[in-house]
Amino acid sequence: MPINATTDKELSWQETALCAQAGPEFFFPAPGTSTREAKQLCGACEGRVECLAYALDNDERFGVWGGLSEKERHLLKRGQG
């Protein structure tokens, strides 16, 4: 199977992700500002689990992914290691 086909399948959750309807600044807030609204939107998104898995697999270091902030993902990964 070609690499692109795998990537397309792995990223198919993005097609219906609620974050696609909001601007990137919503999920990449300025330092010191709240991530609460982004997390609430993530909580209602069908692709949340896949989004979080993508962020963890690709070591996304910034923004809210799958309902977790950078610090929360770091703690989650640290707990797994």
Side-chain angles (χ1 to χ4, degrees):
M1 178 181 296
I3 291 174
N4 290 345
T6 302
T7 301
D8 288 347
K9 183 179 178 185
E10 290 175 354
L11 299 179
S12 64
W13 57 268
Q14 291 181 349
E15 293 174 14
T16 58
L18 295 177
C19 60
Q21 300 170 24
E25 64 279 351
F26 197 72
F27 294 90
F28 296 91
T33 60
S34 177
T35 58
R36 182 178 14 191
E37 292 174 344
K39 290 178 180 183
Q40 286 176 340
L41 191 59
C42 289
C45 184
E46 293 179 11
R48 186 184 68 77
V49 173
E50 292 88 350
C51 177
L52 179 57
Y54 173 85
L56 294 172
D57 290 346
N58 292 283
D59 198 26
E60 290 289 347
R61 297 183 184 195
F62 302 101
V64 175
W65 290 82
L68 298 182
S69 68
E70 303 97 349
K71 290 178 185 178
E72 293 165 331
R73 288 192 310 277
H74 175 74
L75 292 172
L76 181 63
K77 282 188 89 164
R78 213 170 82 190
Q80 291 175 350

